[in-house]
Amino acid sequence: MDFYELAKQTRSVRKFDENVRLSDEEVMHLMDIVSVLPVSRNRASYSFYHATGEEAKMIYPHMRWALNIPEWDGPEEGERPGSLLLVLTDDVSPSPMNCVNLGIAALGIVMGAREMGYSACILRSIDHNHIAKKLGLKKTVQLVIALGKGAQEVTIEPYEGSDKYWMDEDGNQHVPKRTGASYLDNQK
């Protein structure tokens, strides 16, 4: 699959088959991907924590899944991801450079997961302190990356003035996206 097709297939999925989790070997493959990604000043000041099973269940209540769909409280039991990768840093408020690096790492993980046939969702709208306390972590939880077997379709829709995604009556997502040409701005 070429990179453009991989990018089109790498959508934020919010419903999963909860029984499917990434193996330790698959998580290590994602860590290998992260380890070779280009980052600013070659400073990868983050680490990861893989939560599954009971640990993941402790985290679920502290995640907000779809701010554009306020009436939806997130995936129900059985629809939650089997694996959660927590992105950790030593500092509470990373520098702008480290925020960029976190984004690069997160994108590498979700695209690597997609290439392996998994789906993902990057969540920043989380209760950072509660998650760290529940798991006894000394570092700051910056992001949670939900990983597993997707259980919903995600359709890219033409952008028509709003970037708000929605779920249809079957629980599938629709995500408006601008055209590639709309991002190029050579005006002075």
Side-chain angles (χ1 to χ4, degrees):
M1 160 180 353
D2 74 6
F3 190 77
Y4 178 72
E5 286 304 314
L6 179 62
K8 280 181 24 183
Q9 290 183 22
T10 306
R11 310 275 26 108
S12 292
V13 169
R14 291 175 172 82
K15 291 183 181 184
F16 297 82
D17 177 343
E18 197 165 332
N19 296 315
V20 178
R21 61 163 273 202
L22 276 68
S23 69
D24 292 340
E25 293 80 18
E26 290 168 322
V27 171
M28 284 310 303
H29 178 67
L30 294 176
M31 296 300 99
D32 288 339
I33 290 170
V34 167
S35 74
V36 297
L37 291 172
V39 293
S40 180
R41 299 175 69 191
N42 204 34
R43 291 190 182 157
S45 59
Y46 43 76
S47 58
F48 299 88
Y49 184 92
H50 183 210
T52 61
E54 291 304 313
E55 286 186 327
K57 287 180 183 176
M58 288 191 295
I59 298 169
Y60 295 144
H62 303 287
M63 301 166 64
R64 288 174 291 289
W65 282 87
L67 297 180
N68 279 348
I69 310 171
E71 66 278 3
W72 189 62
D73 292 329
E76 297 176 9
E77 191 169 333
E79 298 178 333
R80 296 173 181 144
S83 290
L84 299 174
L85 265 185
L86 283 59
V87 184
L88 309 173
T89 62
D90 290 327
D91 46 349
V92 175
S93 299
S95 70
M97 175 187 72
N98 286 339
C99 287
V100 169
N101 289 344
L102 289 172
I104 292 168
L107 182 60
I109 287 170
V110 298
M111 293 188 87
R114 186 67 215 141
E115 186 179 48
M116 294 189 302
Y118 292 109
S119 297
C121 186
I122 302 170
L123 293 105
R124 172 85 173 126
S125 186
I126 57 175
D127 294 326
H128 307 266
N129 294 332
H130 283 90
I131 293 171
K133 278 184 188 172
K134 288 275 186 189
L135 298 178
L137 301 173
K138 293 182 178 20
K139 294 188 175 191
T140 301
V141 179
Q142 297 292 344
L143 301 170
V144 173
I145 304 174
L147 296 162
K149 180 181 177 191
Q152 70 178 164
E153 296 292 321
V154 181
T155 304
I156 295 175
E157 301 287 353
Y159 177 81
E160 296 178 356
S162 173
D163 58 3
K164 290 193 174 186
Y165 51 85
W166 69 93
M167 268 191 227
D168 63 25
E169 59 278 353
D170 295 322
N172 294 312
Q173 287 188 93
H174 298 266
V175 183
K177 291 290 183 183
R178 294 169 29 199
T179 63
S182 71
Y183 286 93
L184 187 61
D185 184 356
N186 282 358
Q187 300 198 16
K188 296 183 181 200

